[in-house]
Amino acid sequence: MKLELGGEPGAETGIIPEEYVLTRLAEDPTEPRYRARERRARFVSKNGNCNVAHKNIREQGRFLQDVFTTLVDLKWPYTLLIFTMSFLCSWLLFAMVWWLIAFAHGDLAPGEAAAVPCITSIHSFSSAFLFSIEVQVTIGFGGRMVTEECPLAILILIVQNIVGLMINAIMLGCIFMKTAQAHRRAETLIFSKHAVIALRHSRLCFMLRVGDLRKSMIISATIHMQVVRKTTSPEGEVVPLHQLDIPMENGVGGNNIFLVAPLIIYHVIDAKSPLYDLAPCDLHHHHDLEIVVILEGVVETTGITTQARTSYLADEILWGQRFVPIVSEEDGRYSVDYSKFGNTIKVPTPLCTARQLDEDPSLLDILTLARGSLRKRSMAVAKAKAKFSISPDSLS
């Protein structure tokens, strides 16, 4: 049985190629909705978000024990609301304190005010509120000031300055962390929309392409891959998300990669691989399989560790295809054509599992013979075209 797999769409003419926009940002919008409903739930979405909902958490107080992280994790509207309310509440609180100090000292009584007030130019709550703002944000217009008449006023001045510095440090630090989060850098780390399985060095390999759109490097970048599937133990325990690490390799060996240009990362499907019994027919019958790929590294410009994630379901793995080359040498330097980032071509590949290929090596010999016959046929066609072609000189 011969599998007919559709080829990748051609390169788009827009500024942002379709191949990686759909991979990092969203699912394919042209895909029929009924097919999306038939798919099993993803553990990790294509843009790297974990598809896990936390429900019935009884110990909500644990989030308040780590207030800073809770503030950073909040959405921007809630963060800005808390940022505004923290300053307004502190200004109102200390305005009430300043008004009470002036009232207790008799500075607000008309015609009976003390000769030397605790705070000059405070006649109402509005003026006390303005003085509270001037103290906390250190504006100092010069019309209102604390005198040496009331030691309590001096103590409150010190307390409000300390409280104001703490609010500034927490809220500004929170906003800085939200704008400099590591996952923002991961938006420019892209994965191919599809993964492929084909022969490499006479072994079936699972391959994907990864690239970095920025010129700033990802230092000590590493690739990890996990297979997530539903399993049942011999005792009958159902594990809905069984995670199993499998090794990834690249052109230089090991997990560390030099991501200066897009690389093809591959996993050799051997006897230790969980894909050892994966057949082409399993990819078209919604096989209960999800492969999660994780790229980690340190951002060169900020020194923050970042992580980019994606996943591939069974129907997003193309059997018998290979990624087209996208790196070429032009004008003394290497050029990368990202419009072909996710493009693949069909290559001769055995339609069997890696186990069957190891048990019957003659399948590779048959494939080699078929490849040689195709090569001879193409050479014969080329010679025939050259023999019967008419050159422009013969017509003169």
Side-chain angles (χ1 to χ4, degrees):
M1 180 180 66
K2 183 178 181 181
L3 295 177
E4 294 293 336
L5 300 178
E8 286 286 319
E12 296 292 333
T13 58
I15 298 178
I16 304 178
E18 179 187 3
E19 283 76 7
Y20 74 81
V21 172
L22 297 180
T23 300
R24 293 294 301 144
L25 301 182
E27 296 292 337
D28 192 349
T30 61
E31 189 173 353
R33 292 187 178 181
Y34 69 88
R35 185 178 179 185
R37 288 196 299 266
E38 292 177 357
R39 284 185 173 182
R40 60 182 289 267
R42 307 184 76 108
F43 181 53
V44 176
S45 61
K46 296 295 285 185
N47 62 359
N49 295 326
C50 294
N51 188 24
V52 179
H54 300 276
K55 298 181 179 180
N56 300 325
I57 300 178
R58 298 181 179 180
E59 299 181 357
Q60 298 286 348
R62 292 182 177 269
F63 294 99
L64 298 179
Q65 296 177 5
D66 188 7
V67 179
F68 186 78
T69 305
T70 302
L71 292 175
V72 173
D73 291 339
L74 288 176
K75 295 182 179 180
W76 271 108
Y78 299 107
T79 302
L80 295 177
L81 178 63
I82 294 175
F83 181 84
T84 304
M85 293 303 298
S86 62
F87 282 104
L88 288 177
C89 292
S90 63
W91 293 339
L92 288 171
L93 175 62
F94 283 99
M96 180 62 68
V97 174
W98 292 122
W99 185 84
L100 291 175
I101 291 176
F103 178 79
H105 192 258
D107 298 339
L108 302 180
E112 300 179 1
V116 180
C118 288
I119 305 102
T120 60
S121 301
I122 288 187
H123 309 290
S124 62
F125 182 79
S126 298
S127 58
F129 181 72
L130 289 176
F131 180 72
S132 176
I133 297 176
E134 294 173 11
V135 169
Q136 190 159 327
V137 300
T138 63
I139 294 178
F141 290 116
R144 302 175 182 86
M145 66 184 69
V146 178
T147 64
E148 67 276 8
E149 182 70 15
C150 300
L152 179 61
I154 300 175
L155 178 62
I156 298 300
L157 179 68
I158 296 173
V159 172
Q160 185 172 4
N161 277 281
I162 295 175
V163 171
L165 289 175
M166 292 178 62
I167 294 176
N168 287 335
I170 294 174
M171 299 311 301
L172 294 180
C174 174
I175 291 180
F176 172 77
M177 291 301 298
K178 285 183 69 67
T179 55
Q181 283 182 341
H183 70 269
R184 303 297 181 186
R185 178 63 175 87
E187 294 296 331
T188 52
L189 297 173
I190 59 175
F191 300 91
S192 56
K193 181 181 177 182
H194 292 93
V196 298
I197 293 180
L199 287 176
R200 173 174 282 194
H201 305 299
S202 301
R203 301 297 299 270
L204 283 176
C205 296
F206 174 88
M207 292 176 281
L208 60 100
R209 178 175 275 165
V210 61
D212 187 5
L213 299 180
R214 290 190 181 273
K215 291 185 178 180
S216 58
M217 297 293 299
I218 297 294
I219 304 173
S220 301
T222 58
I223 287 283
H224 305 279
M225 189 172 72
Q226 291 183 341
V227 172
V228 180
R229 66 196 333 170
K230 182 179 180 180
T231 59
T232 303
S233 66
E235 295 77 15
E237 179 186 3
V238 177
V239 183
L241 295 175
H242 179 66
Q243 303 178 33
L244 180 63
D245 290 332
I246 56 177
M248 296 291 289
E249 298 182 14
N250 55 74
V252 298
N255 285 336
N256 292 328
I257 59 176
F258 184 47
L259 201 58
V260 67
L263 296 176
I264 296 178
I265 310 298
Y266 67 95
H267 158 66
V268 179
I269 305 178
D270 53 14
K272 299 180 180 179
S273 172
L275 307 179
Y276 196 51
D277 294 316
L278 183 66
C281 59
D282 296 331
L283 303 180
H284 296 272
H285 291 84
H286 301 281
H287 193 267
D288 188 15
L289 173 69
E290 181 178 358
I291 299 177
V292 178
V293 182
I294 303 172
L295 188 151
E296 292 182 349
V298 179
V299 182
E300 182 181 24
T301 54
T302 62
I304 300 176
T305 302
T306 186
Q307 184 182 94
R309 300 178 295 267
T310 191
S311 68
Y312 299 96
L313 296 182
D315 58 349
E316 295 172 342
I317 302 174
L318 306 179
W319 192 283
Q321 299 208 25
R322 180 187 301 161
F323 291 106
V324 300
I326 61 174
V327 180
S328 60
E329 187 174 355
E330 297 179 359
D331 300 330
R333 63 177 182 177
Y334 292 98
S335 175
V336 180
D337 185 6
Y338 280 98
S339 65
K340 302 177 182 178
F341 185 82
N343 291 6
T344 60
I345 56 174
K346 293 183 179 180
V347 293
T349 306
L351 301 179
C352 63
T353 65
R355 180 187 297 274
Q356 294 172 345
L357 190 62
D358 289 343
E359 294 175 353
D360 189 5
S362 61
L363 295 174
L364 281 178
D365 299 334
I366 297 175
L367 192 65
T368 303
L369 293 176
R371 190 181 305 166
S373 62
L374 289 176
R375 186 177 303 173
K376 291 180 180 179
R377 185 181 303 174
S378 62
M379 293 178 61
V381 172
K383 289 181 180 179
K385 288 182 179 180
K387 181 177 180 180
F388 292 101
S389 62
I390 301 177
S391 62
D393 297 336
S394 62
L395 298 176
S396 59

